[in-house]
Amino acid sequence: MIVRARTFSRLALAATLASPLLHANGRFPAAGHLLVGPGESDGSFVLRTTFGLALTTDRGARWSWVCEEALGAVGEFDPTTALASDGAITLGLPDGLRVSTVDRCGWSAPAGSMARVLDVTQSATGEVLLAAAGAFVEGATPYSVVLRSRDGGRSWTLAARLDRFFVETVDLAPRDPTRVYVSGANAEARPTILRSNDGGDRFAPVAATLPSNATPYLAAVSRTNPDRLWVRTTEGLGSGLYRSDDGGASLTRVAASAAPMTGFAVSDDDRRVWWGTSERGSGMQRSVDGAPFARVGPPIAVRCLRFHRDTLFVCADEASDGYSLGWSRDLGETVAPWMSLRDLQGPLPGCGDGGVSGRCEAPWATLGPRLRDLDAATAPARVPLDPPDAGGDAASDAPDDEVTLDAAAARDVGSPAPTPAAGCACAARGNARGSAPGGIALAALARRRRRRRRG
């Protein structure tokens, strides 16, 4: 589940203005979106940051860097990301798609790429990738497009043209790629959800209505029921969260926040749902079995959330929380700090002068020392990510009567909670889509920030 959000916490913004530790694009180093895979595995972790990608293939023993220069993504636009079944990474950018080689050393524009890419996503296995781009104009008719790839992002074909529609996000049912949803606005500027039942070749609007001032972003589609989806909206300065159990025919408002939601995650069995904002005081919110959302965990400036197998991953705020990525195996009751941007060990190794290594060495000579100099006076000790328990999602295997909103009961579900460092109140938040309505012009694209899902 992915989330785009351009709002910084006040602490991060203050650090941006006051700190000399800025990368070339002028932003404070921060994480904003996490991919785990490929498919059902947890062999790769891809963390999108404001200055490129942080990668690990050994569960955090080494974190390597792919710079913006190698990605062709220098600037303030945070690309959307997808992970193919073979481990190749696809990025969506204002000037088109980028796809990596399997070893991530080489990056290029794939065949069939189009400009103004607003979103990319993949099926649960990573064998099908979709991209949404817009808006374009032919004659007097504005339109958006959905692109499809079945070869790991190396080539793309037109799946559908959406006339008189301004696209924002695209998502597909993880285990049923024939079901695809698109969010955006129609020609009358009404927030609209489109649905496809044939893998994205044909779309039709669903009946559900949203507030006229809302901009809709697909937060997730259920892994167990293709008719169940969650939609996050921007409404003024805050956000709304809606759920549908009938393929979008109706939407029920289940939560709202005063600040933009920057993180969303749902467990594999749909029984637990989390969201958070970058406001540390709001904390992370959790619902179990459809109950009302309630505060869980310590205060954290959530920048993304992702649930994978038995683990909830949380992007935190490096400036205010002292780390960028944490994990929880007790449904978010506690969050163990796992990765700080100080842990980056340099450009991705083994790529040679013509690949990532050659293009990123010079930027790293400047950035590396600055990351290591980040104020670590209050940074919590990082906790290694242990191998997941046998059997996958331990929490979902618990008896129904053990899963409640009561904190004490929740701590009994799943794996033992991580032990925080002394004096550390660690929490995590984060992964949500959103910002200004998109698709109308490239200028709107440039104002977008980090993203969903899909965490």
Side-chain angles (χ1 to χ4, degrees), residues 165 168-169 182-186 188-194 206-219 229-235 239-244 248-255:
F165 189 80
E168 288 288 352
T169 56
V182 166
S183 74
N186 62 18
E188 289 72 42
R190 292 286 305 179
T192 303
I193 305 295
L194 306 181
V206 298
T209 58
L210 290 163
S212 60
N213 67 334
T215 302
Y217 301 87
L218 297 166
L229 67 151
W230 291 264
V231 177
R232 189 187 67 80
T233 61
T234 57
E235 300 174 13
S239 294
L241 182 64
Y242 297 79
R243 171 174 162 163
S244 175
S250 62
L251 288 167
T252 301
R253 189 181 179 98
V254 295

Side-chain angles (χ1 to χ4, degrees), residues 274 284 286 296-297 306-314 326-338 385 415-418 428:
W274 299 264
M284 190 163 49
R286 182 189 67 200
V296 62
R306 179 172 293 277
F307 188 90
H308 187 80
R309 297 176 67 183
D310 67 337
T311 305
L312 178 67
F313 294 96
V314 182
W327 58 270
S328 174
R329 295 213 180 102
D330 58 6
L331 306 183
E333 290 291 331
T334 60
V335 178
W338 181 32
L385 181 65
S415 306

Side-chain angles (χ1 to χ4, degrees), residues 89-116:
I89 303 168
T90 293
L91 305 180
L93 294 162
D95 62 350
L97 294 159
R98 298 288 189 280
V99 62
S100 77
T101 52
V102 174
D103 61 7
R104 288 86 180 270
C105 286
W107 293 78
S108 61
S113 175
M114 297 182 68
R116 303 176 183 178

Side-chain angles (χ1 to χ4, degrees), residues 147-422:
L147 304 175
R148 181 190 298 116
S149 175
R150 297 187 185 277
D151 59 3
R154 293 163 185 80
S155 65
W156 296 75
T157 58
L158 178 66
R161 170 170 157 160
L162 311 175
D163 285 336
R164 300 177 61 80
F165 189 80
F166 304 99
V167 70
E168 288 288 352
T169 56
V170 60
D171 214 344
L172 72 171
R175 298 194 182 279
D176 181 9
T178 63
R179 176 64 60 84
V180 182
Y181 296 92
V182 166
S183 74
N186 62 18
E188 289 72 42
R190 292 286 305 179
T192 303
I193 305 295
L194 306 181
R195 186 180 71 202
S196 171
N197 296 321
D198 60 7
D201 292 332
R202 292 176 294 273
F203 285 87
V206 298
T209 58
L210 290 163
S212 60
N213 67 334
T215 302
Y217 301 87
L218 297 166
V221 182
S222 168
R223 296 174 67 89
T224 63
N225 179 2
D227 285 333
R228 181 172 300 145
L229 67 151
W230 291 264
V231 177
R232 189 187 67 80
T233 61
T234 57
E235 300 174 13
L237 298 177
S239 294
L241 182 64
Y242 297 79
R243 171 174 162 163
S244 175
D245 291 316
D246 53 15
S250 62
L251 288 167
T252 301
R253 189 181 179 98
V254 295
S257 63
M261 291 183 187
T262 48
F264 179 86
V266 57
S267 61
D268 292 342
D269 58 4
D270 296 346
R271 291 178 59 194
R272 279 90 59 191
V273 178
W274 299 264
W275 62 264
T277 78
S278 59
E279 295 290 339
R280 297 187 83 242
S282 300
M284 190 163 49
Q285 303 286 320
R286 182 189 67 200
S287 171
V288 178
D289 291 335
F293 283 89
R295 172 75 177 268
V296 62
I300 293 179
V302 175
R303 290 187 172 274
C304 82
L305 293 171
R306 179 172 293 277
F307 188 90
H308 187 80
R309 297 176 67 183
D310 67 337
T311 305
L312 178 67
F313 294 96
V314 182
C315 296
D317 185 90
E318 187 78 38
S320 58
D321 299 314
Y323 65 101
S324 287
L325 185 60
W327 58 270
S328 174
R329 295 213 180 102
D330 58 6
L331 306 183
E333 290 291 331
T334 60
V335 178
W338 181 32
M339 183 265 191
S340 165
L341 298 179
R342 306 176 193 86
D343 298 331
L344 281 176
Q345 298 179 36
L348 188 67
C351 290
D353 293 341
V356 168
S357 299
R359 303 201 65 179
C360 299
E361 285 294 348
W364 180 253
T366 300
L367 180 65
R370 292 179 175 179
L371 291 177
R372 290 191 291 273
D373 287 342
L374 287 171
D375 183 10
T378 59
R382 268 91 77 193
V383 181
L385 181 65
D386 296 326
D389 291 341
D393 182 0
S396 65
D397 296 334
D400 289 347
D401 59 1
E402 288 188 42
V403 183
T404 72
L405 282 176
D406 178 75
R411 281 192 290 269
D412 292 334
V413 180
S415 306
T419 302

